[in-house]
Amino acid sequence: MRVHDREPIGAALRRFKKLVERSGLKREVRAHEYYVKPCELRTRKEANRLRAIKKAALGKPVKKERPF
């Protein structure tokens, strides 16, 4: 990333943070922060799948209009 002439350091830092976030580098670093056993990955994946199924089954609650 190049910093433009007369660009405030705050603006350059914001641009850098956006760039890192969009590239997915931060997510990748967090994923490799510590080792997770394959069996634990499978367990988490299954738990996430079941959680998504439960969430979809419940659906969105319907808002009732106030009577005033």
Side-chain angles (χ1 to χ4, degrees):
M1 185 185 110
R2 292 186 185 184
V3 180
H4 304 298
D5 292 338
R6 298 188 201 121
E7 182 180 17
I9 192 70
L13 191 58
R14 263 196 316 275
R15 269 194 323 125
F16 176 72
K17 285 181 181 180
K18 256 186 211 177
L19 185 72
V20 168
E21 192 168 328
R22 286 182 188 155
S23 71
L25 186 65
K26 196 173 180 182
R27 189 179 318 134
E28 188 71 24
V29 168
R30 283 192 179 169
H32 294 309
E33 195 170 5
Y34 57 91
Y35 180 73
V36 181
K37 291 192 222 175
C39 64
E40 193 174 333
L41 280 175
R42 284 191 299 269
T43 306
R44 285 182 187 184
K45 189 174 180 180
E46 181 66 16
N48 287 339
R49 188 181 71 81
L50 291 175
R51 192 177 305 118
I53 290 172
K54 273 186 180 179
K55 189 175 179 179
L58 289 176
K60 277 191 171 180
V62 179
K63 280 188 171 181
K64 292 183 179 179
E65 291 186 26
R66 294 187 199 175
F68 57 90

